Amino acid sequence: MTDPTTGRLRVDGATLHYEVRGSGPLLLLIPGGAGDAASFDGIVDDLAADYTVASYDLRGMSRSPLDDPQATQQVAQHADDAFRLLELLSPDTAARVAGCSSGAIVALHLLTAHPERIERVVAHEPPAVEVLPDVAEHRALLARVQDTFRRDGLMPAVIEFAAGLRRPGAEEPVAAERVTELPPQAAARAERTMANMPYFLGRIVPSFMAYAPDVDRLAALSDRLVLAGGEDSRGELPYRPAAFLAERSGTKLIHFPGGHTGLSTHPAEFAALLRKVLSA
């Protein structure tokens, strides 16, 4: 993998770590979950053949420290961070943006807040459950997860949260490799991800999954919005808002290889399809 040029961007209440590779029009990648800029390591070289590819650690994650570690997190502020990166790295030209999971929620808000700065957005499985007709069930899930987190700690809450995201009747996934079995770079990434988990589960999940996107405005901007789901995650909770928003926007839901984490499990195929939809 090509070594990136790294930088630091001062934003309101935080300092962002970002990485840049390649040349051409800007493509900003917004990571999801407890991941950081390294979430895209498997696809950045493919994308950098066509784009100046920028990825970053969201505020509070990994190498992007908050001024106040206890600060409340809001989608709008995270979207403003992404906007500041666009202004820094592509001040005169509209950019392309791709976000996965909670990063896709940031991408949706960025599009509605600054459409003039966006040429195309790809939102892969944004878990914006507020748009779903059975949202009360998902609010109850999130409340249970937070109660479990406060009462029993991180891992029991993670297990409960993961179970709530799977489709009804689905089996638990096979456990991932231990960090000690991974190559050094991948091990460092996994360690950062685990260190991010309390912050992600405790403060990102409650506010991001309570976020209600502007459905009508997204429909009006559908000519520059690509909603995506995993081929293997049909019926799972993060897939359903993407399908709902595509239907409401009158657009086709694009199916990417793999499931919710297809970015990691099928990187070559994921990158190839992302390049295709970004240039369509």
Side-chain angles (χ1 to χ4, degrees):
M1 185 181 64
T2 305
D3 289 336
T5 299
T6 62
R8 309 279 286 173
L9 176 63
R10 181 69 193 156
V11 293
D12 183 22
T15 302
L16 304 180
H17 166 91
Y18 66 91
E19 305 177 357
V20 180
R21 296 175 177 86
S23 60
L26 182 66
L27 168 59
L28 179 66
L29 302 176
I30 307 179
D36 56 27
S39 301
F40 300 101
D41 281 357
I43 70 171
V44 285
D45 278 352
D46 285 345
L47 298 171
D50 298 321
Y51 300 102
T52 297
V53 182
S55 55
Y56 68 107
D57 301 352
L58 271 64
R59 62 169 58 220
M61 298 283 190
S62 298
R63 298 151 293 191
S64 292
L66 298 169
D67 294 353
D68 174 7
Q70 303 305 316
T72 300
Q73 300 305 301
Q74 300 294 335
V75 171
Q77 191 170 41
H78 282 256
D80 188 68
D81 292 346
F83 171 70
R84 301 299 168 188
L85 284 165
L86 297 185
E87 291 288 277
L88 174 69
L89 300 172
S90 184
D92 301 318
T93 307
R96 296 168 175 86
V97 177
C100 294
S101 191
S102 52
I105 292 179
V106 176
L108 292 178
H109 189 86
L110 176 64
L111 175 61
T112 58
H114 300 284
E116 75 287 350
R117 299 293 287 114
I118 307 297
E119 184 166 324
R120 176 156 294 199
V121 164
V122 179
H124 185 271
E125 296 202 358
V129 299
E130 287 291 315
V131 303
L132 298 177
D134 54 351
V135 62
E137 295 180 19
H138 311 309
R139 290 172 180 165
L141 166 67
L142 295 173
R144 291 196 306 272
V145 169
Q146 295 305 308
D147 287 344
T148 300
F149 190 19
R150 287 188 291 268
R151 184 181 63 248
D152 301 325
L154 177 63
M155 291 315 298
V158 169
I159 292 169
E160 184 161 9
F161 182 56
L165 300 183
R166 293 194 294 271
R167 70 176 65 86
E171 297 181 359
E172 292 188 24
V174 177
E177 292 181 292
R178 297 192 306 273
V179 169
T180 54
E181 297 175 336
L182 298 174
Q185 188 172 8
R189 171 187 164 187
E191 289 174 357
R192 291 197 306 271
T193 299
M194 285 305 301
N196 290 335
M197 281 300 299
Y199 169 79
F200 169 69
L201 196 66
R203 277 183 284 153
I204 295 295
V205 166
S207 66
F208 276 48
M209 293 183 73
Y211 169 77
D214 188 333
V215 176
D216 292 336
R217 185 153 173 76
L218 288 173
L221 295 166
S222 62
D223 60 329
R224 64 193 82 178
L225 173 61
V226 176
L227 289 151
E231 187 67 48
D232 300 334
S233 54
R234 299 170 191 261
E236 294 180 357
L237 185 55
Y239 175 98
R240 293 179 56 212
F244 175 91
L245 290 171
E247 183 178 358
R248 283 291 300 271
S249 300
T251 61
K252 180 182 178 182
L253 182 69
I254 303 299
H255 285 93
F256 275 68
H260 189 61
T261 58
L263 170 69
S264 299
T265 60
H266 298 70
E269 300 93 332
F270 196 101
L273 183 53
L274 183 56
R275 288 175 72 181
K276 181 179 179 179
V277 299
L278 285 169
S279 62

